[in-house]
Amino acid sequence: MKAIRVHQFGGPEVMRVEDAPDVKPGSGQVVVRVHAAGVNPVDTYIRTGTYAVKPALPYTPGMDAAGVVETIGEGVTNVVSGDRVYVFTTLSGAYAERALCNASRVYPLPDRITYAQGAALGVPYGTAYRALMQRARAVPGEVVFVHGASGGVGIAAVQIARAAGLTVIGTGGTEEGRRLVAEQGAHHVLDHHDPDYLKKAVDLTNGRGVDVIVEMLANVNLGKDLPILARGGRVVVVGSRGPVEINPRDTMSRDAAIVGMTLLNAPDPELAGIHAAIRAGLETRAFRPIVRTELPLSDAPRAHEMVMAPGAYGKIVLVP
Ligand code: NAP
């Protein structure tokens, strides 16, 4: 089968399409014929070889995919061959024609949801749901500030928060991105390059501050996030690309909390909750993954450059 193979860690150019060995399901495993693979920023960190997750070489990148179950191993009862599914984490890599997966990480994909949209579910919606609902424990009526709302996780957070009865303030760095954030249900949209945008966020709450911040770039924003929190406010650190200075007093005066999270830490019961919520959100049409572009597998290097560049607009997907 065709797959992206990485033989040495490095820049985007280390990803090349090659013939990779075919995959066969063992006990409790399935093989999915991949119709779309999601490109996540974490795929680029892993590719450099400097991230906590360091696969044995050669490896095939990618955690998110959607497609059709081709073969199932012994003891698999949750899916049958021919089922449309989305996948959150694979055993063999998602940037490929086929992916070997644990059956427990394969979830039904409603007919109405395209494969490209299905490839935008696992990491983005899983992360946004866990950040908002499981780590920040947001409740209806609260105000959430999605700091970086125009990308994969941000769009998901906006839709999830809106469906849960929160007041949503989202930010985007481009006019196109901000329009998308508004279309996806944010009550208010701000430009994170506007020097006054944090004051504007507080003004939108009549000076009270926001209850929850979903933070996509903590190394730039965490120190500025704390002063805009309401009493009892929580910042969930979803993304960070370096260190940052904060004033701890900004947490004390507000009884505020800074909460970290990594989706891969989610224990099985939390994952089950996440995917039950995704299923319900897809069925009720509250969750509508936005696909920015679909690229051929051979364009994986370009996709990695795009996902790290400013101007996010939903999800980038590779089509094997
Ligand atoms: P993405 O699609 O590339 O989106 C990145 C977002 O960050 C865009 O909305 C972008 O807005 C925004 N951004 C850029 N500069 C910003 C600034 N100065 N202040 C606030 N926001 C800014 O990436 P993603 O898939 O949504 O992931 C977002 C982050 O979360 C990444 O760092 C990723 O590594 C991390 N992440 C973590 C987990 C976890 O388990 N903890 C899981 C998934 C993702 P513009 O482009 O419009 O400026």
PDB file of all heavy atoms in Angstrom, residues 1-9 11-23 47 56-61 91-93 95-96 297 300-301:
ATOM      1  N   MET A   1       0.843  -1.208   0.000  1.00  0.00           N
ATOM      2  CA  MET A   1       0.000   0.000   0.000  1.00  0.00           C
ATOM      3  C   MET A   1       0.871   1.247   0.000  1.00  0.00           C
ATOM      4  O   MET A   1       2.001   1.228   0.466  1.00  0.00           O
ATOM      5  CB  MET A   1      -0.882   0.015   1.265  1.00  0.00           C
ATOM      6  CG  MET A   1      -0.104   0.175   2.561  1.00  0.00           C
ATOM      7  SD  MET A   1      -1.182   0.537   3.951  1.00  0.00           S
ATOM      8  CE  MET A   1       0.014   0.669   5.287  1.00  0.00           C
ATOM      9  N   LYS A   2       0.287   2.348  -0.507  1.00  0.00           N
ATOM     10  CA  LYS A   2       1.012   3.624  -0.497  1.00  0.00           C
ATOM     11  C   LYS A   2       0.866   4.259   0.890  1.00  0.00           C
ATOM     12  O   LYS A   2      -0.206   4.227   1.496  1.00  0.00           O
ATOM     13  CB  LYS A   2       0.412   4.589  -1.531  1.00  0.00           C
ATOM     14  CG  LYS A   2       0.531   4.083  -2.954  1.00  0.00           C
ATOM     15  CD  LYS A   2       1.815   4.603  -3.590  1.00  0.00           C
ATOM     16  CE  LYS A   2       1.958   4.151  -5.023  1.00  0.00           C
ATOM     17  NZ  LYS A   2       2.929   3.076  -5.185  1.00  0.00           N
ATOM     18  N   ALA A   3       1.950   4.827   1.371  1.00  0.00           N
ATOM     19  CA  ALA A   3       1.922   5.496   2.675  1.00  0.00           C
ATOM     20  C   ALA A   3       3.046   6.519   2.724  1.00  0.00           C
ATOM     21  O   ALA A   3       4.047   6.380   2.015  1.00  0.00           O
ATOM     22  CB  ALA A   3       2.115   4.481   3.801  1.00  0.00           C
ATOM     23  N   ILE A   4       2.860   7.547   3.540  1.00  0.00           N
ATOM     24  CA  ILE A   4       3.988   8.435   3.838  1.00  0.00           C
ATOM     25  C   ILE A   4       4.902   7.695   4.796  1.00  0.00           C
ATOM     26  O   ILE A   4       4.434   7.105   5.783  1.00  0.00           O
ATOM     27  CB  ILE A   4       3.483   9.742   4.497  1.00  0.00           C
ATOM     28  CG1 ILE A   4       2.664  10.575   3.519  1.00  0.00           C
ATOM     29  CG2 ILE A   4       4.654  10.531   5.073  1.00  0.00           C
ATOM     30  CD1 ILE A   4       3.478  11.283   2.449  1.00  0.00           C
ATOM     31  N   ARG A   5       6.187   7.713   4.493  1.00  0.00           N
ATOM     32  CA  ARG A   5       7.155   7.076   5.394  1.00  0.00           C
ATOM     33  C   ARG A   5       8.222   8.105   5.764  1.00  0.00           C
ATOM     34  O   ARG A   5       8.715   8.845   4.895  1.00  0.00           O
ATOM     35  CB  ARG A   5       7.831   5.889   4.695  1.00  0.00           C
ATOM     36  CG  ARG A   5       6.843   4.817   4.301  1.00  0.00           C
ATOM     37  CD  ARG A   5       6.506   3.905   5.436  1.00  0.00           C
ATOM     38  NE  ARG A   5       7.436   2.798   5.512  1.00  0.00           N
ATOM     39  CZ  ARG A   5       7.460   1.906   6.482  1.00  0.00           C
ATOM     40  NH1 ARG A   5       6.621   2.025   7.499  1.00  0.00           N
ATOM     41  NH2 ARG A   5       8.315   0.911   6.470  1.00  0.00           N
ATOM     42  N   VAL A   6       8.565   8.131   7.037  1.00  0.00           N
ATOM     43  CA  VAL A   6       9.609   9.019   7.533  1.00  0.00           C
ATOM     44  C   VAL A   6      10.772   8.144   7.987  1.00  0.00           C
ATOM     45  O   VAL A   6      10.609   7.313   8.880  1.00  0.00           O
ATOM     46  CB  VAL A   6       9.072   9.873   8.708  1.00  0.00           C
ATOM     47  CG1 VAL A   6      10.192  10.678   9.359  1.00  0.00           C
ATOM     48  CG2 VAL A   6       7.945  10.784   8.245  1.00  0.00           C
ATOM     49  N   HIS A   7      11.937   8.307   7.361  1.00  0.00           N
ATOM     50  CA  HIS A   7      13.117   7.492   7.704  1.00  0.00           C
ATOM     51  C   HIS A   7      14.064   8.221   8.643  1.00  0.00           C
ATOM     52  O   HIS A   7      14.924   7.613   9.250  1.00  0.00           O
ATOM     53  CB  HIS A   7      13.861   7.082   6.428  1.00  0.00           C
ATOM     54  CG  HIS A   7      13.090   6.094   5.599  1.00  0.00           C
ATOM     55  ND1 HIS A   7      13.205   4.731   5.764  1.00  0.00           N
ATOM     56  CD2 HIS A   7      12.152   6.276   4.636  1.00  0.00           C
ATOM     57  CE1 HIS A   7      12.397   4.110   4.919  1.00  0.00           C
ATOM     58  NE2 HIS A   7      11.743   5.036   4.219  1.00  0.00           N
ATOM     59  N   GLN A   8      13.947   9.568   8.693  1.00  0.00           N
ATOM     60  CA  GLN A   8      14.749  10.329   9.654  1.00  0.00           C
ATOM     61  C   GLN A   8      13.938  11.549  10.081  1.00  0.00           C
ATOM     62  O   GLN A   8      13.170  12.094   9.281  1.00  0.00           O
ATOM     63  CB  GLN A   8      16.080  10.762   9.043  1.00  0.00           C
ATOM     64  CG  GLN A   8      15.913  11.711   7.863  1.00  0.00           C
ATOM     65  CD  GLN A   8      17.243  12.031   7.220  1.00  0.00           C
ATOM     66  OE1 GLN A   8      17.857  11.154   6.609  1.00  0.00           O
ATOM     67  NE2 GLN A   8      17.686  13.264   7.341  1.00  0.00           N
ATOM     68  N   PHE A   9      14.089  11.955  11.349  1.00  0.00           N
ATOM     69  CA  PHE A   9      13.373  13.133  11.827  1.00  0.00           C
ATOM     70  C   PHE A   9      13.934  14.374  11.154  1.00  0.00           C
ATOM     71  O   PHE A   9      15.124  14.425  10.816  1.00  0.00           O
ATOM     72  CB  PHE A   9      13.495  13.229  13.355  1.00  0.00           C
ATOM     73  CG  PHE A   9      12.855  12.074  14.075  1.00  0.00           C
ATOM     74  CD1 PHE A   9      13.618  11.149  14.776  1.00  0.00           C
ATOM     75  CD2 PHE A   9      11.475  11.901  14.034  1.00  0.00           C
ATOM     76  CE1 PHE A   9      13.028  10.079  15.435  1.00  0.00           C
ATOM     77  CE2 PHE A   9      10.879  10.825  14.686  1.00  0.00           C
ATOM     78  CZ  PHE A   9      11.650   9.916  15.381  1.00  0.00           C
ATOM     79  N   GLY A  11      12.680  18.242   8.773  1.00  0.00           N
ATOM     80  CA  GLY A  11      11.704  19.165   8.192  1.00  0.00           C
ATOM     81  C   GLY A  11      10.630  18.420   7.407  1.00  0.00           C
ATOM     82  O   GLY A  11      10.679  17.190   7.275  1.00  0.00           O
ATOM     83  N   PRO A  12       9.673  19.183   6.848  1.00  0.00           N
ATOM     84  CA  PRO A  12       8.568  18.563   6.112  1.00  0.00           C
ATOM     85  C   PRO A  12       9.027  17.634   4.992  1.00  0.00           C
ATOM     86  O   PRO A  12       8.354  16.658   4.657  1.00  0.00           O
ATOM     87  CB  PRO A  12       7.808  19.767   5.540  1.00  0.00           C
ATOM     88  CG  PRO A  12       8.161  20.910   6.442  1.00  0.00           C
ATOM     89  CD  PRO A  12       9.538  20.653   6.950  1.00  0.00           C
ATOM     90  N   GLU A  13      10.214  17.935   4.418  1.00  0.00           N
ATOM     91  CA  GLU A  13      10.689  17.172   3.250  1.00  0.00           C
ATOM     92  C   GLU A  13      11.028  15.717   3.589  1.00  0.00           C
ATOM     93  O   GLU A  13      11.193  14.899   2.679  1.00  0.00           O
ATOM     94  CB  GLU A  13      11.899  17.872   2.606  1.00  0.00           C
ATOM     95  CG  GLU A  13      13.200  17.833   3.417  1.00  0.00           C
ATOM     96  CD  GLU A  13      13.218  18.743   4.646  1.00  0.00           C
ATOM     97  OE1 GLU A  13      12.303  19.574   4.804  1.00  0.00           O
ATOM     98  OE2 GLU A  13      14.159  18.603   5.454  1.00  0.00           O
ATOM     99  N   VAL A  14      11.112  15.363   4.877  1.00  0.00           N
ATOM    100  CA  VAL A  14      11.437  13.965   5.217  1.00  0.00           C
ATOM    101  C   VAL A  14      10.236  13.038   4.970  1.00  0.00           C
ATOM    102  O   VAL A  14      10.367  11.819   5.060  1.00  0.00           O
ATOM    103  CB  VAL A  14      11.935  13.803   6.680  1.00  0.00           C
ATOM    104  CG1 VAL A  14      13.200  14.627   6.906  1.00  0.00           C
ATOM    105  CG2 VAL A  14      10.852  14.163   7.705  1.00  0.00           C
ATOM    106  N   MET A  15       9.060  13.638   4.663  1.00  0.00           N
ATOM    107  CA  MET A  15       7.860  12.811   4.404  1.00  0.00           C
ATOM    108  C   MET A  15       7.756  12.513   2.912  1.00  0.00           C
ATOM    109  O   MET A  15       7.635  13.437   2.101  1.00  0.00           O
ATOM    110  CB  MET A  15       6.603  13.545   4.868  1.00  0.00           C
ATOM    111  CG  MET A  15       6.549  13.745   6.378  1.00  0.00           C
ATOM    112  SD  MET A  15       4.982  14.457   6.905  1.00  0.00           S
ATOM    113  CE  MET A  15       5.112  16.069   6.190  1.00  0.00           C
ATOM    114  N   ARG A  16       7.808  11.231   2.557  1.00  0.00           N
ATOM    115  CA  ARG A  16       7.706  10.842   1.140  1.00  0.00           C
ATOM    116  C   ARG A  16       6.734   9.691   0.999  1.00  0.00           C
ATOM    117  O   ARG A  16       6.652   8.818   1.871  1.00  0.00           O
ATOM    118  CB  ARG A  16       9.072  10.412   0.612  1.00  0.00           C
ATOM    119  CG  ARG A  16      10.050  11.559   0.585  1.00  0.00           C
ATOM    120  CD  ARG A  16      11.156  11.388  -0.434  1.00  0.00           C
ATOM    121  NE  ARG A  16      12.192  12.361  -0.144  1.00  0.00           N
ATOM    122  CZ  ARG A  16      13.240  12.117   0.641  1.00  0.00           C
ATOM    123  NH1 ARG A  16      13.419  10.919   1.167  1.00  0.00           N
ATOM    124  NH2 ARG A  16      14.128  13.057   0.887  1.00  0.00           N
ATOM    125  N   VAL A  17       6.030   9.673  -0.145  1.00  0.00           N
ATOM    126  CA  VAL A  17       5.130   8.552  -0.420  1.00  0.00           C
ATOM    127  C   VAL A  17       5.966   7.359  -0.867  1.00  0.00           C
ATOM    128  O   VAL A  17       6.831   7.499  -1.739  1.00  0.00           O
ATOM    129  CB  VAL A  17       4.106   8.909  -1.525  1.00  0.00           C
ATOM    130  CG1 VAL A  17       3.208   7.713  -1.816  1.00  0.00           C
ATOM    131  CG2 VAL A  17       3.273  10.104  -1.135  1.00  0.00           C
ATOM    132  N   GLU A  18       5.696   6.204  -0.251  1.00  0.00           N
ATOM    133  CA  GLU A  18       6.446   4.975  -0.598  1.00  0.00           C
ATOM    134  C   GLU A  18       5.486   3.794  -0.587  1.00  0.00           C
ATOM    135  O   GLU A  18       4.365   3.905  -0.109  1.00  0.00           O
ATOM    136  CB  GLU A  18       7.515   4.691   0.472  1.00  0.00           C
ATOM    137  CG  GLU A  18       8.680   5.629   0.440  1.00  0.00           C
ATOM    138  CD  GLU A  18       9.684   5.304   1.540  1.00  0.00           C
ATOM    139  OE1 GLU A  18       9.518   4.258   2.216  1.00  0.00           O
ATOM    140  OE2 GLU A  18      10.596   6.103   1.717  1.00  0.00           O
ATOM    141  N   ASP A  19       5.968   2.656  -1.049  1.00  0.00           N
ATOM    142  CA  ASP A  19       5.238   1.405  -0.842  1.00  0.00           C
ATOM    143  C   ASP A  19       5.584   0.901   0.546  1.00  0.00           C
ATOM    144  O   ASP A  19       6.754   0.663   0.849  1.00  0.00           O
ATOM    145  CB  ASP A  19       5.657   0.367  -1.889  1.00  0.00           C
ATOM    146  CG  ASP A  19       4.964   0.633  -3.212  1.00  0.00           C
ATOM    147  OD1 ASP A  19       3.763   0.987  -3.187  1.00  0.00           O
ATOM    148  OD2 ASP A  19       5.640   0.536  -4.257  1.00  0.00           O
ATOM    149  N   ALA A  20       4.554   0.770   1.390  1.00  0.00           N
ATOM    150  CA  ALA A  20       4.763   0.293   2.764  1.00  0.00           C
ATOM    151  C   ALA A  20       4.174  -1.109   2.876  1.00  0.00           C
ATOM    152  O   ALA A  20       3.282  -1.483   2.095  1.00  0.00           O
ATOM    153  CB  ALA A  20       4.084   1.235   3.746  1.00  0.00           C
ATOM    154  N   PRO A  21       4.645  -1.894   3.839  1.00  0.00           N
ATOM    155  CA  PRO A  21       4.101  -3.246   3.998  1.00  0.00           C
ATOM    156  C   PRO A  21       2.597  -3.208   4.298  1.00  0.00           C
ATOM    157  O   PRO A  21       2.130  -2.302   4.987  1.00  0.00           O
ATOM    158  CB  PRO A  21       4.852  -3.803   5.215  1.00  0.00           C
ATOM    159  CG  PRO A  21       6.003  -2.877   5.441  1.00  0.00           C
ATOM    160  CD  PRO A  21       5.682  -1.564   4.810  1.00  0.00           C
ATOM    161  N   ASP A  22       1.849  -4.182   3.766  1.00  0.00           N
ATOM    162  CA  ASP A  22       0.411  -4.255   4.056  1.00  0.00           C
ATOM    163  C   ASP A  22       0.185  -4.551   5.527  1.00  0.00           C
ATOM    164  O   ASP A  22       1.032  -5.164   6.186  1.00  0.00           O
ATOM    165  CB  ASP A  22      -0.247  -5.334   3.189  1.00  0.00           C
ATOM    166  CG  ASP A  22      -0.598  -4.763   1.818  1.00  0.00           C
ATOM    167  OD1 ASP A  22      -0.884  -3.556   1.739  1.00  0.00           O
ATOM    168  OD2 ASP A  22      -0.553  -5.532   0.841  1.00  0.00           O
ATOM    169  N   VAL A  23      -0.970  -4.107   6.045  1.00  0.00           N
ATOM    170  CA  VAL A  23      -1.278  -4.334   7.465  1.00  0.00           C
ATOM    171  C   VAL A  23      -2.382  -5.378   7.587  1.00  0.00           C
ATOM    172  O   VAL A  23      -3.297  -5.436   6.755  1.00  0.00           O
ATOM    173  CB  VAL A  23      -1.696  -3.014   8.163  1.00  0.00           C
ATOM    174  CG1 VAL A  23      -0.480  -2.178   8.475  1.00  0.00           C
ATOM    175  CG2 VAL A  23      -2.685  -2.208   7.321  1.00  0.00           C
ATOM    176  N   ARG A  47       7.290  14.831  13.895  1.00  0.00           N
ATOM    177  CA  ARG A  47       8.185  14.681  12.730  1.00  0.00           C
ATOM    178  C   ARG A  47       9.583  15.257  12.978  1.00  0.00           C
ATOM    179  O   ARG A  47      10.570  14.775  12.449  1.00  0.00           O
ATOM    180  CB  ARG A  47       7.518  15.391  11.529  1.00  0.00           C
ATOM    181  CG  ARG A  47       8.153  15.116  10.186  1.00  0.00           C
ATOM    182  CD  ARG A  47       7.893  16.301   9.269  1.00  0.00           C
ATOM    183  NE  ARG A  47       8.541  17.504   9.748  1.00  0.00           N
ATOM    184  CZ  ARG A  47       7.965  18.693   9.893  1.00  0.00           C
ATOM    185  NH1 ARG A  47       6.711  18.899   9.551  1.00  0.00           N
ATOM    186  NH2 ARG A  47       8.661  19.725  10.375  1.00  0.00           N
ATOM    187  N   ALA A  56       9.525   4.854  16.616  1.00  0.00           N
ATOM    188  CA  ALA A  56      10.672   4.158  16.020  1.00  0.00           C
ATOM    189  C   ALA A  56      10.637   4.395  14.509  1.00  0.00           C
ATOM    190  O   ALA A  56       9.562   4.397  13.894  1.00  0.00           O
ATOM    191  CB  ALA A  56      10.574   2.673  16.335  1.00  0.00           C
ATOM    192  N   LEU A  57      11.803   4.604  13.912  1.00  0.00           N
ATOM    193  CA  LEU A  57      11.901   4.857  12.463  1.00  0.00           C
ATOM    194  C   LEU A  57      12.002   3.533  11.705  1.00  0.00           C
ATOM    195  O   LEU A  57      12.591   2.580  12.236  1.00  0.00           O
ATOM    196  CB  LEU A  57      13.130   5.719  12.180  1.00  0.00           C
ATOM    197  CG  LEU A  57      13.106   7.120  12.799  1.00  0.00           C
ATOM    198  CD1 LEU A  57      14.456   7.815  12.635  1.00  0.00           C
ATOM    199  CD2 LEU A  57      12.002   7.977  12.165  1.00  0.00           C
ATOM    200  N   PRO A  58      11.521   3.441  10.479  1.00  0.00           N
ATOM    201  CA  PRO A  58      10.688   4.441   9.812  1.00  0.00           C
ATOM    202  C   PRO A  58       9.260   4.387  10.366  1.00  0.00           C
ATOM    203  O   PRO A  58       8.840   3.366  10.880  1.00  0.00           O
ATOM    204  CB  PRO A  58      10.715   4.001   8.342  1.00  0.00           C
ATOM    205  CG  PRO A  58      10.886   2.517   8.405  1.00  0.00           C
ATOM    206  CD  PRO A  58      11.711   2.238   9.620  1.00  0.00           C
ATOM    207  N   TYR A  59       8.566   5.512  10.235  1.00  0.00           N
ATOM    208  CA  TYR A  59       7.177   5.514  10.714  1.00  0.00           C
ATOM    209  C   TYR A  59       6.300   6.293   9.741  1.00  0.00           C
ATOM    210  O   TYR A  59       6.799   7.054   8.893  1.00  0.00           O
ATOM    211  CB  TYR A  59       7.083   6.097  12.131  1.00  0.00           C
ATOM    212  CG  TYR A  59       7.045   7.612  12.188  1.00  0.00           C
ATOM    213  CD1 TYR A  59       5.846   8.297  12.360  1.00  0.00           C
ATOM    214  CD2 TYR A  59       8.220   8.361  12.042  1.00  0.00           C
ATOM    215  CE1 TYR A  59       5.804   9.681  12.404  1.00  0.00           C
ATOM    216  CE2 TYR A  59       8.179   9.748  12.085  1.00  0.00           C
ATOM    217  CZ  TYR A  59       6.971  10.401  12.270  1.00  0.00           C
ATOM    218  OH  TYR A  59       6.932  11.778  12.290  1.00  0.00           O
ATOM    219  N   THR A  60       4.980   6.083   9.888  1.00  0.00           N
ATOM    220  CA  THR A  60       3.978   6.799   9.100  1.00  0.00           C
ATOM    221  C   THR A  60       3.244   7.752  10.032  1.00  0.00           C
ATOM    222  O   THR A  60       2.700   7.304  11.043  1.00  0.00           O
ATOM    223  CB  THR A  60       2.991   5.805   8.457  1.00  0.00           C
ATOM    224  OG1 THR A  60       3.717   4.996   7.521  1.00  0.00           O
ATOM    225  CG2 THR A  60       1.858   6.512   7.727  1.00  0.00           C
ATOM    226  N   PRO A  61       3.224   9.070   9.736  1.00  0.00           N
ATOM    227  CA  PRO A  61       2.579  10.028  10.644  1.00  0.00           C
ATOM    228  C   PRO A  61       1.057   9.926  10.613  1.00  0.00           C
ATOM    229  O   PRO A  61       0.472   9.275   9.739  1.00  0.00           O
ATOM    230  CB  PRO A  61       3.015  11.392  10.096  1.00  0.00           C
ATOM    231  CG  PRO A  61       4.063  11.134   9.086  1.00  0.00           C
ATOM    232  CD  PRO A  61       3.864   9.738   8.592  1.00  0.00           C
ATOM    233  N   LEU A  91      -2.415   2.393  14.937  1.00  0.00           N
ATOM    234  CA  LEU A  91      -1.194   1.674  15.318  1.00  0.00           C
ATOM    235  C   LEU A  91      -0.121   1.815  14.232  1.00  0.00           C
ATOM    236  O   LEU A  91       1.066   1.702  14.517  1.00  0.00           O
ATOM    237  CB  LEU A  91      -1.530   0.188  15.536  1.00  0.00           C
ATOM    238  CG  LEU A  91      -2.535  -0.064  16.668  1.00  0.00           C
ATOM    239  CD1 LEU A  91      -3.078  -1.496  16.600  1.00  0.00           C
ATOM    240  CD2 LEU A  91      -1.878   0.184  18.021  1.00  0.00           C
ATOM    241  N   SER A  92      -0.560   2.070  12.980  1.00  0.00           N
ATOM    242  CA  SER A  92       0.401   2.068  11.868  1.00  0.00           C
ATOM    243  C   SER A  92       0.563   3.423  11.198  1.00  0.00           C
ATOM    244  O   SER A  92       1.404   3.581  10.323  1.00  0.00           O
ATOM    245  CB  SER A  92      -0.044   1.037  10.822  1.00  0.00           C
ATOM    246  OG  SER A  92      -1.329   1.385  10.333  1.00  0.00           O
ATOM    247  N   GLY A  93      -0.245   4.457  11.602  1.00  0.00           N
ATOM    248  CA  GLY A  93      -0.145   5.782  10.987  1.00  0.00           C
ATOM    249  C   GLY A  93      -1.308   6.052  10.040  1.00  0.00           C
ATOM    250  O   GLY A  93      -1.754   5.159   9.305  1.00  0.00           O
ATOM    251  N   TYR A  95      -1.479   8.616   7.620  1.00  0.00           N
ATOM    252  CA  TYR A  95      -1.165   9.151   6.290  1.00  0.00           C
ATOM    253  C   TYR A  95      -0.847   7.961   5.362  1.00  0.00           C
ATOM    254  O   TYR A  95       0.301   7.768   4.928  1.00  0.00           O
ATOM    255  CB  TYR A  95       0.063  10.047   6.334  1.00  0.00           C
ATOM    256  CG  TYR A  95      -0.011  11.344   7.111  1.00  0.00           C
ATOM    257  CD1 TYR A  95      -1.078  11.688   7.922  1.00  0.00           C
ATOM    258  CD2 TYR A  95       1.043  12.274   7.013  1.00  0.00           C
ATOM    259  CE1 TYR A  95      -1.100  12.884   8.631  1.00  0.00           C
ATOM    260  CE2 TYR A  95       1.028  13.468   7.705  1.00  0.00           C
ATOM    261  CZ  TYR A  95      -0.043  13.759   8.516  1.00  0.00           C
ATOM    262  OH  TYR A  95      -0.038  14.951   9.209  1.00  0.00           O
ATOM    263  N   ALA A  96      -1.856   7.175   5.038  1.00  0.00           N
ATOM    264  CA  ALA A  96      -1.624   5.930   4.291  1.00  0.00           C
ATOM    265  C   ALA A  96      -2.937   5.457   3.689  1.00  0.00           C
ATOM    266  O   ALA A  96      -4.015   5.926   4.080  1.00  0.00           O
ATOM    267  CB  ALA A  96      -1.091   4.848   5.239  1.00  0.00           C
ATOM    268  N   LEU A 297      -1.962  12.788  -0.781  1.00  0.00           N
ATOM    269  CA  LEU A 297      -0.979  12.307   0.202  1.00  0.00           C
ATOM    270  C   LEU A 297       0.419  12.869  -0.075  1.00  0.00           C
ATOM    271  O   LEU A 297       1.158  13.230   0.847  1.00  0.00           O
ATOM    272  CB  LEU A 297      -0.962  10.774   0.130  1.00  0.00           C
ATOM    273  CG  LEU A 297      -0.476   9.995   1.336  1.00  0.00           C
ATOM    274  CD1 LEU A 297      -1.216  10.384   2.598  1.00  0.00           C
ATOM    275  CD2 LEU A 297      -0.626   8.500   1.070  1.00  0.00           C
ATOM    276  N   ALA A 300       1.856  16.006   1.652  1.00  0.00           N
ATOM    277  CA  ALA A 300       1.996  16.060   3.113  1.00  0.00           C
ATOM    278  C   ALA A 300       3.000  17.139   3.554  1.00  0.00           C
ATOM    279  O   ALA A 300       2.730  17.869   4.514  1.00  0.00           O
ATOM    280  CB  ALA A 300       2.396  14.689   3.664  1.00  0.00           C
ATOM    281  N   PRO A 301       4.175  17.292   2.855  1.00  0.00           N
ATOM    282  CA  PRO A 301       5.088  18.351   3.289  1.00  0.00           C
ATOM    283  C   PRO A 301       4.434  19.740   3.243  1.00  0.00           C
ATOM    284  O   PRO A 301       4.586  20.540   4.165  1.00  0.00           O
ATOM    285  CB  PRO A 301       6.247  18.249   2.293  1.00  0.00           C
ATOM    286  CG  PRO A 301       6.226  16.820   1.841  1.00  0.00           C
ATOM    287  CD  PRO A 301       4.766  16.453   1.792  1.00  0.00           C
TER     288      PRO A 301
END
